[in-house]
Amino acid sequence: MKKAKVAIFGASGYSGEELVKRLSEHPLVELCCLTSRQYAGKKASEVFAWIGRRSPLANLEFIEPDVPSLAPLGIEFAFLALPHGVASEFAVPLLESGIRTLDLSADFRVKDPEVYKYFYHHEHPAPDLLRKSVYGLPEAYRDEIRSARLVACPGCYPTSILIPLLPLIRAKVIRLSSVIVNSLSGVSGAGRKAERDLLFVECNESARPYGLPSHRHLSEIEQELSNAAGESVIIQFAPHLIPLNRGIATTIHADPVTKVAVESLSEVYESAYGSEWFIRLLGSNRYPDIKNVVGTNRLEIAWRVDPRTGRIILMSAEDNLVKGAAGQAIQCFNIMNGWDEALGLGM
Amino acid sequence: MKKAKVAIFGASGYSGEELVKRLSEHPLVELCCLTSRQYAGKKASEVFAWIGRRSPLANLEFIEPDVPSLAPLGIEFAFLALPHGVASEFAVPLLESGIRTLDLSADFRVKDPEVYKYFYHHEHPAPDLLRKSVYGLPEAYRDEIRSARLVACPGCYPTSILIPLLPLIRAKVIRLSSVIVNSLSGVSGAGRKAERDLLFVECNESARPYGLPSHRHLSEIEQELSNAAGESVIIQFAPHLIPLNRGIATTIHADPVTKVAVESLSEVYESAYGSEWFIRLLGSNRYPDIKNVVGTNRLEIAWRVDPRTGRIILMSAEDNLVKGAAGQAIQCFNIMNGWDEALGLGM
Amino acid sequence: MKKAKVAIFGASGYSGEELVKRLSEHPLVELCCLTSRQYAGKKASEVFAWIGRRSPLANLEFIEPDVPSLAPLGIEFAFLALPHGVASEFAVPLLESGIRTLDLSADFRVKDPEVYKYFYHHEHPAPDLLRKSVYGLPEAYRDEIRSARLVACPGCYPTSILIPLLPLIRAKVIRLSSVIVNSLSGVSGAGRKAERDLLFVECNESARPYGLPSHRHLSEIEQELSNAAGESVIIQFAPHLIPLNRGIATTIHADPVTKVAVESLSEVYESAYGSEWFIRLLGSNRYPDIKNVVGTNRLEIAWRVDPRTGRIILMSAEDNLVKGAAGQAIQCFNIMNGWDEALGLGM
Amino acid sequence: MKKAKVAIFGASGYSGEELVKRLSEHPLVELCCLTSRQYAGKKASEVFAWIGRRSPLANLEFIEPDVPSLAPLGIEFAFLALPHGVASEFAVPLLESGIRTLDLSADFRVKDPEVYKYFYHHEHPAPDLLRKSVYGLPEAYRDEIRSARLVACPGCYPTSILIPLLPLIRAKVIRLSSVIVNSLSGVSGAGRKAERDLLFVECNESARPYGLPSHRHLSEIEQELSNAAGESVIIQFAPHLIPLNRGIATTIHADPVTKVAVESLSEVYESAYGSEWFIRLLGSNRYPDIKNVVGTNRLEIAWRVDPRTGRIILMSAEDNLVKGAAGQAIQCFNIMNGWDEALGLGM
């Protein structure tokens, strides 16, 4: 099969590095271009110590991000692992050049520019594109992704929250105003920023809530929950930083609309995800654990009904850099190409 | 001032070791006796590598736990850091011998033997004593502790949950059925048990919920919340294991009875805990962090009101082995002696 | 190409699990059989939570280890990830059944039964087989491995020590009596044993030397160094346990026979390993780092000559469970089959 | 007893924070002044989240470092926890103002300005003061410290290396050219610098050598070893960074001048340190472990003689921020005041 020519913009952050690693091993990808303002002119192998001299990446150099100069390379797909607000700058000319674009930032996830402004505190830089972007959650938008020219890949928290919640929302099992979400994230979720709060000594032997009560990811979570519900949904979300490199564990509490048996939850999930390659249903006896999904594109879900309170409890675990970022983007990319969704994503 | 003669039963677990360390440095304690079935006959300094040769513990030996044989030692206070179900065996003869007892196990925390049976899956071994025991939460029962002969020291999770919740429950601010608690615990909370699930490799780079939906600590939490509310309270509680040695971070969500301003929460807390030595009120802008309380007997509380949902969010952090176990027991012990509550507990 | 039928004995330890994971993804392996006394009768997916329902392992069950009962399965290769002393029990009948065997234990690494006895404190159980086994270090014994029927895969420390030292020993650069080795190992190196010293709380925030001065791995290290030198070599070796899951970092000090320039070391290494797929030469400016090799079958080497002392300093890093165990065994297995050495081993 | 009035310069780094914590609890210290360019004008309790509202520090503010403005405060002692090269700027006016100064930087440790220049790559800024400073290792220079006006507190690595080596060097047991040192340091040793290499994700699950072969601390280590030997000593030193917050574990290899029995090492140590409060002799069977000294001012030493090689192996462990920095400085300060050396330093 013909390989796709791919560029990665902003390849030096954690999500970018994960994209580089995985796309360089993808059997149908020709990785043609890595951009980085910080490292332009440097060899990728100087920046990423894991690149061996026999790797296809051994001789690739970082270049300045500049869309027109890419024209001669024949790039067909661009992955943007740029900071929020910067990605949209590049998406516009990329799309105009006919390059299908997968954006890992938050720039095109939220459809409503007003909601974007409320959570991101500035006007959306390219509101026209919002209508054209497809939210890159394959388990929800597989058909739309297939033909999308601009995929807005979901955030790490939203993925861990939406995948367990959407089927129950669609099945009208859950009382919409009752959803309370607690998430625990590894430190790579905060990005590769040289900030004092992210130093080893500050994070190790530490655990702390943050971003309460209005974390930015709520904008896309509530948008998608509202779409599934057919009415506006507002939830409670408490993120926490815990001392591990990768992974998100999410625990969700919600009231059922009417008394519900755990078996009926199992049916909803089996029906929704029974044939999903990357969703692992743990049922009502096992627990998800970050260590079982790290390095994979899998998301685990378990569920309970509390006999004392009647409440539904959902739990999920994922690798924030894989199913929560780079892996999910590659899953979308495979879909856009009509390929096996798991290509280059391991077991 | 005259020193108190003290024995520690079951001194080889994490809470027991913390008691040994702190009581050996307590200015008004004469640590006369350490019991351990496993280590009877061994010197404490062989088991606890941190004991220096100039420590008062340098020559202390572990002995078999046997109440009658303690008589000649003139012990006045016994701390029990024994497993649940074992502590009550020793509490009976200790109290009969006139020794005031501080039990760190769950044996005497729950007043109702039926509740005990529901959560601990066996009959209570000494139901008569339940009436006599005082729940050792100084911020709630200081007066009762003063004259108590048997103090049932609270569990680590309950301390981190009750201290933030009790003032709001008493002030009728919170809708009782709406309380949802998520807690993150360091691995020492699971005890010093040679179990595969607690190995370094199994816990490091792992985070997982467990004990859902009916963790045993709910029995004492709901008892104390119900006492404060004057009616029965049932809550939701989701504990998680995270990869650090010590500490519990708790995040609580609850609906207010009527719309509430964050300032009024601040007033309730200031009034409840403004003069408490070991409670640190962080207010509505800062976040608690395990690393700021590890090694101390302090518990931090912060609070928010979500303008979007109206919900109240409470956050706390403590060291599970200090304010959640040994430190709180020593705080009670100081109260029982009429001493400065902070004696031997540092800043 | 025809797939090889493979059995893994003792599949539930850390090395065994790594074998299961990697062999199940190996394109030319049919994983037919997993044995485990502890888990016989259980599905692999119950024991290894990372096995998804679409994995080829989804329906594989652990069975009792019993060589005769394997006959009908047509097994061609057996990997033994059994404890030292147990592996040899199974190697004998396996070889008699014509099954080529890769042993990850120490049972067949040491050629001299007297040396074995000195370091392992008991008689060797199958001294006849010692002559037949091949030491499974591809970078040293590739030709012998190709036709071997019994491969004794090296220990994790020995791999990290021998690969940097052998070329310099062969080139007569190093004064043999001067070799001093310090190694740091992640906790998985100690195995999946439910021992108190390996608990999370005992290893986290801890670092300690152990096994001094006569760690068992010295037997194979010195055997191989002596073979390379053509005379008896005795070295100094100090292993340490550090708080990470996987990885070994080794630092070696040695006097040169005569004053040596760092460039000549570079030449020796380039000549010895310039075409090795899994050896990464970092030269005299960069440092190896465990995080750059974890999850890979690569071993990194860097070198220095101290201008003040004239001494040579060698540094290496590897993943103890991959290049130090399962990965190296699979590399040998590929060689035994005449396949690409990197098959199933990633980049 | 009269309290000493104390100022801390550069109080916001890890050593500075440890000084603040411990001096604020020291029974004979009045902590009058904290300086920090970064935080001048802020309350200490805003910067250090562990400061409770009842702490003596609750109302202390950071001020700009400015010696003349301190005059009215009556400061008698200044601790300098400033970066190398900056400390000397302040030491000069402090000493001129009659303030006894304990410098935790490297500025006054090395007596020979040429050696300083070789290792620190610039001229010494105040060479006159080098003659006046006393190297603040109480176990070696207790008498000189007593009357010193300027104490140059040793580095963290030097403390962990000198304390085990000095007695054997003085006793002429060790062949001087044979000393090879490997040390493992927790990440706080690198300081509270917002650098990418010190981020949690870069250090966790990582271990790496660095600073080879000429780490700056060699200057003071070799100076002190040479003083003890009465001739020039040059050693080999390999530091490593490992993923824990605090602590240094050091392993030293050395040849004996003539064959030596382990008992004679024990005698040397007993004689040298038998009455030292903060040195813990573990003998020839036990191992030091960072976790047993963290938070204390103790240094543990163990020793072996390898029967196969005849070599001596020494091992030590300390908390790099306590015995390796702030604790040792306070020990010196107590000596300068003629007080109990352990005052404010716990067990």
Side-chain angles (χ1 to χ4, degrees):
Chain A
M1 222 176 309
K2 200 177 136 288
K3 291 192 175 189
K5 295 195 172 195
V6 169
I8 302 173
F9 280 67
S12 63
Y14 290 126
S15 294
E17 182 173 359
E18 188 73 23
L19 279 172
V20 175
K21 197 174 280 183
R22 291 177 176 265
L23 287 174
S24 72
E25 298 188 352
H26 190 294
L28 291 178
V29 164
E30 187 184 343
L31 196 46
C32 302
C33 164
L34 305 179
T35 85
S36 162
R37 283 201 170 124
Q38 187 182 1
Y39 294 120
K42 280 206 173 176
K43 285 182 139 190
S45 61
E46 285 176 77
V47 175
F48 298 139
W50 50 265
I51 299 180
R53 55 184 160 175
R54 300 187 169 211
S55 159
L57 301 172
N59 293 307
L60 207 57
E61 259 183 30
F62 284 103
I63 62 169
E64 288 283 346
D66 176 53
V67 175
S69 73
L70 296 186
L73 298 177
I75 301 295
E76 301 161 79
F77 289 86
F79 288 81
L80 308 186
L82 296 160
H84 303 315
V86 178
S88 53
E89 262 179 59
F90 293 94
V92 177
L94 283 165
L95 291 167
E96 283 170 359
S97 309
I99 297 174
R100 295 175 82 182
T101 299
L102 298 107
D103 178 21
L104 280 76
S105 86
D107 283 8
F108 302 106
R109 297 175 190 159
V110 178
K111 293 296 180 186
D112 182 340
E114 290 306 307
V115 173
Y116 182 91
K117 190 177 169 186
Y118 178 86
F119 281 97
Y120 289 88
H121 310 304
H122 61 88
E123 297 288 341
H124 193 281
D128 290 355
L129 283 180
L130 294 185
R131 270 164 309 147
K132 297 182 187 160
S133 70
V134 171
Y135 194 65
L137 193 65
E139 290 77 8
Y141 293 102
R142 186 168 281 114
D143 289 343
E144 294 83 345
I145 292 166
R146 196 162 288 129
S147 56
R149 306 215 49 89
L150 173 58
V151 172
C153 299
C156 50
Y157 285 125
T159 300
S160 82
I161 295 164
L162 290 171
I163 291 182
L165 269 177
L166 286 174
L168 302 189
I169 298 270
R170 285 200 209 97
K172 310 281 183 207
V173 173
I174 278 178
R175 196 159 60 76
L176 297 175
S177 65
S178 74
V179 177
I180 291 181
V181 178
N182 278 266
S183 291
L184 319 181
S185 174
V187 184
S188 64
R192 189 176 252 157
K193 288 172 288 188
E195 292 178 2
R196 196 168 136 159
D197 278 356
L198 302 178
L199 292 178
F200 181 85
V201 178
E202 307 302 322
C203 294
N204 187 37
E205 297 299 288
S206 156
R208 51 190 195 248
Y210 73 98
L212 281 166
S214 299
H215 190 279
R216 291 170 163 195
H217 280 174
L218 277 167
S219 54
E220 54 184 291
I221 297 166
E222 293 178 349
Q223 165 181 288
E224 296 304 315
L225 295 180
S226 301
N227 283 350
E231 61 181 289
S232 172
V233 179
I234 291 184
I235 68 161
Q236 202 69 47
F237 174 46
H240 299 73
L241 198 67
I242 59 170
L244 38 78
N245 279 4
R246 287 164 165 242
I248 288 180
T250 284
T251 300
I252 303 170
H253 305 267
D255 295 332
V257 172
T258 57
K259 199 164 180 293
V260 70
V262 76
E263 292 74 21
S264 70
L265 301 187
S266 304
E267 279 164 32
V268 172
Y269 281 120
E270 195 54 47
S271 153
Y273 297 134
S275 57
E276 285 292 341
W277 187 258
F278 290 117
I279 308 301
R280 186 159 154 69
L281 301 176
L282 297 177
S284 57
N285 287 307
R286 303 177 77 174
Y287 291 97
D289 187 335
I290 281 175
K291 75 165 174 260
N292 294 329
V293 293
V294 160
T296 80
N297 197 47
R298 277 203 315 272
L299 182 137
E300 297 185 334
I301 315 175
W303 51 91
R304 304 285 187 278
V305 175
D306 185 345
R308 301 166 71 248
T309 64
R311 238 183 236 111
I312 294 168
I313 305 161
L314 310 176
M315 296 161 274
S316 74
E318 63 168 16
D319 184 327
N320 60 309
L321 297 181
V322 190
K323 185 62 178 168
Q328 185 146 269
I330 295 171
Q331 190 182 355
C332 291
F333 163 78
N334 288 334
I335 293 170
M336 291 163 87
N337 280 288
W339 296 335
D340 174 352
E341 214 162 305
L343 222 56
L345 289 171
M347 260 213 330
Chain B
M1 223 177 306
K2 200 177 136 286
K3 290 191 176 191
K5 295 195 170 194
V6 168
I8 303 173
F9 280 66
S12 64
Y14 290 125
S15 294
E17 182 173 357
E18 188 72 24
L19 279 172
V20 174
K21 196 173 281 183
R22 289 177 178 267
L23 288 174
S24 72
E25 300 188 352
H26 190 295
L28 291 179
V29 164
E30 186 184 344
L31 195 46
C32 302
C33 164
L34 305 179
T35 86
S36 162
R37 282 199 171 124
Q38 187 182 0
Y39 294 119
K42 280 206 173 177
K43 284 182 141 186
S45 60
E46 284 176 77
V47 175
F48 299 137
W50 49 265
I51 299 180
R53 57 184 159 173
R54 299 190 171 209
S55 158
L57 301 171
N59 292 307
L60 207 56
E61 259 182 31
F62 285 102
I63 61 169
E64 288 283 347
D66 177 52
V67 175
S69 74
L70 295 186
L73 297 177
I75 301 294
E76 302 162 79
F77 289 86
F79 288 81
L80 309 186
L82 297 161
H84 303 314
V86 178
S88 52
E89 262 179 60
F90 292 94
V92 177
L94 282 166
L95 291 167
E96 283 170 359
S97 308
I99 296 174
R100 296 174 82 182
T101 299
L102 297 107
D103 179 21
L104 279 75
S105 86
D107 283 8
F108 301 106
R109 296 174 190 160
V110 178
K111 293 295 179 185
D112 182 339
E114 290 307 307
V115 173
Y116 181 90
K117 192 179 170 186
Y118 178 86
F119 281 96
Y120 289 88
H121 310 305
H122 60 88
E123 298 287 341
H124 194 280
D128 290 355
L129 281 181
L130 295 185
R131 268 165 310 151
K132 297 184 187 160
S133 71
V134 171
Y135 193 67
L137 194 65
E139 290 77 9
Y141 294 103
R142 186 168 281 114
D143 288 344
E144 294 83 347
I145 292 166
R146 195 161 287 129
S147 55
R149 307 218 44 94
L150 172 59
V151 172
C153 298
C156 49
Y157 285 124
T159 300
S160 82
I161 295 164
L162 291 171
I163 291 182
L165 270 177
L166 286 174
L168 301 189
I169 298 270
R170 283 199 209 98
K172 310 283 183 206
V173 172
I174 279 176
R175 197 160 57 77
L176 296 175
S177 65
S178 74
V179 177
I180 291 181
V181 178
N182 279 267
S183 292
L184 320 181
S185 174
V187 185
S188 64
R192 188 175 253 157
K193 288 173 287 189
E195 292 178 3
R196 196 169 137 158
D197 278 357
L198 302 179
L199 292 178
F200 180 84
V201 178
E202 307 303 321
C203 295
N204 188 36
E205 297 299 288
S206 156
R208 49 190 196 252
Y210 73 98
L212 283 165
S214 299
H215 190 280
R216 291 170 163 193
H217 280 173
L218 277 167
S219 54
E220 55 184 290
I221 297 166
E222 293 177 348
Q223 164 182 290
E224 296 304 317
L225 294 180
S226 301
N227 282 350
E231 61 181 291
S232 173
V233 179
I234 291 184
I235 68 161
Q236 202 68 49
F237 173 47
H240 299 73
L241 198 66
I242 60 170
L244 39 77
N245 280 3
R246 287 162 167 243
I248 287 181
T250 284
T251 300
I252 303 169
H253 305 268
D255 296 332
V257 173
T258 57
K259 197 164 181 293
V260 70
V262 75
E263 292 74 21
S264 71
L265 301 187
S266 305
E267 279 165 32
V268 172
Y269 281 121
E270 194 54 47
S271 152
Y273 296 135
S275 58
E276 285 293 340
W277 187 258
F278 290 117
I279 308 301
R280 184 159 156 69
L281 301 176
L282 297 177
S284 58
N285 287 307
R286 304 177 77 174
Y287 290 96
D289 187 334
I290 281 174
K291 75 165 174 260
N292 293 330
V293 293
V294 160
T296 80
N297 196 48
R298 277 203 315 270
L299 183 138
E300 296 185 335
I301 315 175
W303 51 91
R304 304 285 186 279
V305 176
D306 185 344
R308 300 167 71 248
T309 64
R311 235 181 240 114
I312 293 168
I313 305 161
L314 310 176
M315 297 161 274
S316 74
E318 64 167 16
D319 184 327
N320 61 308
L321 297 181
V322 189
K323 185 61 179 170
Q328 185 147 266
I330 295 171
Q331 191 182 354
C332 290
F333 163 79
N334 287 335
I335 294 170
M336 292 164 86
N337 280 288
W339 296 335
D340 174 352
E341 214 163 304
L343 221 57
L345 289 171
M347 256 213 333
Chain C
M1 223 177 307
K2 200 177 136 285
K3 290 192 175 188
K5 294 195 172 196
V6 168
I8 302 173
F9 280 67
S12 63
Y14 290 126
S15 295
E17 182 173 359
E18 188 73 24
L19 279 172
V20 175
K21 196 174 282 185
R22 290 178 177 266
L23 288 173
S24 73
E25 299 188 351
H26 190 294
L28 291 179
V29 163
E30 187 185 345
L31 195 46
C32 302
C33 164
L34 305 179
T35 85
S36 161
R37 284 201 169 122
Q38 188 182 359
Y39 295 119
K42 280 207 172 175
K43 284 183 140 187
S45 60
E46 284 176 77
V47 175
F48 299 138
W50 49 265
I51 299 180
R53 56 184 161 174
R54 299 187 170 212
S55 159
L57 300 172
N59 293 307
L60 207 56
E61 259 183 28
F62 285 102
I63 61 169
E64 287 284 347
D66 176 51
V67 175
S69 73
L70 296 186
L73 297 177
I75 301 294
E76 302 161 80
F77 289 86
F79 289 80
L80 309 185
L82 297 161
H84 303 314
V86 178
S88 52
E89 262 179 59
F90 292 94
V92 177
L94 283 166
L95 291 167
E96 282 170 1
S97 309
I99 296 173
R100 295 175 82 182
T101 299
L102 297 107
D103 178 21
L104 279 76
S105 86
D107 282 8
F108 301 106
R109 295 175 190 159
V110 178
K111 293 296 178 184
D112 182 340
E114 290 306 308
V115 173
Y116 181 90
K117 190 178 169 186
Y118 177 86
F119 282 97
Y120 289 88
H121 310 304
H122 60 89
E123 297 288 340
H124 193 280
D128 290 354
L129 281 180
L130 294 185
R131 268 165 310 150
K132 297 185 187 158
S133 71
V134 171
Y135 193 67
L137 194 65
E139 290 77 8
Y141 293 102
R142 185 169 282 113
D143 289 343
E144 293 83 347
I145 292 166
R146 196 162 287 130
S147 56
R149 308 218 46 93
L150 172 59
V151 172
C153 298
C156 50
Y157 285 125
T159 300
S160 82
I161 295 164
L162 290 170
I163 290 182
L165 270 177
L166 285 174
L168 301 189
I169 298 269
R170 284 200 209 97
K172 310 283 182 205
V173 172
I174 278 177
R175 197 159 59 76
L176 297 175
S177 65
S178 74
V179 177
I180 292 180
V181 178
N182 281 267
S183 291
L184 320 182
S185 174
V187 185
S188 65
R192 190 175 252 157
K193 289 172 288 190
E195 293 178 2
R196 195 168 137 159
D197 278 356
L198 302 178
L199 291 177
F200 181 85
V201 178
E202 307 301 322
C203 294
N204 187 37
E205 297 300 289
S206 156
R208 50 190 195 250
Y210 73 98
L212 282 166
S214 299
H215 189 280
R216 292 169 162 195
H217 280 174
L218 277 167
S219 54
E220 54 182 292
I221 297 166
E222 293 178 349
Q223 165 181 289
E224 295 304 316
L225 294 180
S226 300
N227 282 350
E231 61 181 291
S232 172
V233 179
I234 292 183
I235 68 161
Q236 202 69 49
F237 173 46
H240 299 73
L241 198 67
I242 60 170
L244 38 77
N245 279 4
R246 288 164 164 240
I248 288 181
T250 285
T251 300
I252 304 170
H253 304 268
D255 296 332
V257 172
T258 57
K259 198 161 180 294
V260 70
V262 75
E263 293 74 20
S264 70
L265 301 187
S266 304
E267 280 164 31
V268 173
Y269 281 120
E270 194 54 46
S271 153
Y273 297 134
S275 57
E276 284 292 341
W277 188 258
F278 290 117
I279 308 301
R280 186 160 154 68
L281 300 176
L282 297 177
S284 57
N285 286 307
R286 302 176 77 173
Y287 290 96
D289 187 334
I290 280 175
K291 75 165 174 262
N292 293 329
V293 293
V294 161
T296 81
N297 197 47
R298 277 203 316 270
L299 182 138
E300 297 185 334
I301 315 175
W303 51 92
R304 302 287 186 278
V305 176
D306 184 345
R308 300 167 70 248
T309 65
R311 238 183 237 112
I312 293 167
I313 305 161
L314 310 176
M315 295 161 275
S316 74
E318 63 167 18
D319 184 325
N320 60 310
L321 296 180
V322 190
K323 185 62 179 169
Q328 185 147 266
I330 294 171
Q331 190 182 355
C332 290
F333 164 78
N334 287 335
I335 294 169
M336 292 164 86
N337 280 289
W339 296 334
D340 175 351
E341 213 162 305
L343 222 56
L345 289 171
M347 259 214 332
Chain D
M1 222 177 307
K2 198 179 137 285
K3 291 192 176 189
K5 294 196 171 193
V6 168
I8 302 174
F9 280 67
S12 64
Y14 290 126
S15 294
E17 182 173 358
E18 188 73 25
L19 279 172
V20 174
K21 196 174 282 184
R22 290 178 177 266
L23 287 174
S24 72
E25 299 188 352
H26 190 294
L28 292 180
V29 163
E30 186 184 346
L31 196 46
C32 302
C33 163
L34 305 179
T35 85
S36 162
R37 282 198 171 125
Q38 187 182 359
Y39 294 119
K42 279 206 173 176
K43 282 183 144 188
S45 61
E46 284 176 78
V47 176
F48 299 137
W50 49 264
I51 299 181
R53 57 184 160 175
R54 298 188 172 211
S55 159
L57 301 171
N59 293 308
L60 207 57
E61 259 183 29
F62 284 103
I63 61 168
E64 287 284 346
D66 177 51
V67 175
S69 72
L70 296 185
L73 298 176
I75 301 294
E76 303 161 78
F77 289 86
F79 289 80
L80 309 186
L82 297 161
H84 303 314
V86 178
S88 52
E89 262 179 59
F90 292 93
V92 177
L94 283 165
L95 291 168
E96 282 170 359
S97 308
I99 295 173
R100 296 174 81 182
T101 299
L102 298 107
D103 178 20
L104 280 75
S105 86
D107 283 8
F108 302 106
R109 295 175 190 159
V110 178
K111 293 296 178 185
D112 182 340
E114 290 307 308
V115 172
Y116 181 90
K117 190 178 169 187
Y118 178 86
F119 281 97
Y120 289 89
H121 310 304
H122 60 87
E123 297 288 340
H124 194 281
D128 291 355
L129 281 180
L130 295 186
R131 267 165 309 150
K132 296 185 189 160
S133 72
V134 171
Y135 194 66
L137 194 65
E139 290 77 11
Y141 293 102
R142 186 169 280 113
D143 289 344
E144 294 83 347
I145 292 165
R146 196 162 288 128
S147 55
R149 308 218 45 93
L150 172 58
V151 172
C153 299
C156 49
Y157 285 125
T159 300
S160 83
I161 295 164
L162 290 170
I163 290 181
L165 269 177
L166 286 175
L168 301 189
I169 298 270
R170 284 199 209 98
K172 310 283 182 204
V173 172
I174 278 177
R175 196 158 60 75
L176 297 175
S177 65
S178 73
V179 177
I180 291 181
V181 179
N182 278 266
S183 291
L184 319 181
S185 174
V187 184
S188 64
R192 189 175 253 159
K193 288 173 287 189
E195 292 178 2
R196 198 169 135 157
D197 278 355
L198 302 179
L199 292 177
F200 181 84
V201 178
E202 307 302 322
C203 294
N204 188 37
E205 296 300 287
S206 156
R208 50 190 195 249
Y210 73 99
L212 281 166
S214 299
H215 190 280
R216 292 171 163 194
H217 280 174
L218 277 168
S219 54
E220 56 184 289
I221 297 167
E222 293 178 349
Q223 164 181 291
E224 296 305 315
L225 294 180
S226 300
N227 282 351
E231 60 181 290
S232 172
V233 179
I234 292 184
I235 68 162
Q236 202 69 48
F237 173 47
H240 299 73
L241 198 66
I242 60 170
L244 39 77
N245 279 4
R246 288 165 166 239
I248 287 181
T250 284
T251 301
I252 303 169
H253 305 267
D255 296 331
V257 173
T258 57
K259 196 163 181 293
V260 70
V262 75
E263 292 75 20
S264 69
L265 301 187
S266 305
E267 279 164 31
V268 173
Y269 281 121
E270 195 54 47
S271 151
Y273 297 134
S275 57
E276 284 293 341
W277 187 258
F278 290 116
I279 308 300
R280 186 159 153 69
L281 301 176
L282 297 177
S284 57
N285 287 306
R286 303 176 77 174
Y287 291 96
D289 187 334
I290 281 174
K291 75 166 173 259
N292 293 330
V293 293
V294 161
T296 81
N297 197 48
R298 276 204 315 270
L299 182 137
E300 297 185 335
I301 315 174
W303 52 91
R304 303 289 187 275
V305 176
D306 185 344
R308 299 166 72 248
T309 64
R311 234 181 240 114
I312 294 168
I313 304 160
L314 310 176
M315 295 161 275
S316 74
E318 64 166 17
D319 184 326
N320 61 308
L321 296 181
V322 189
K323 185 62 180 169
Q328 185 146 267
I330 294 171
Q331 190 182 354
C332 290
F333 163 78
N334 287 334
I335 294 170
M336 291 163 87
N337 280 288
W339 296 334
D340 175 352
E341 213 162 307
L343 221 57
L345 289 170
M347 257 211 333

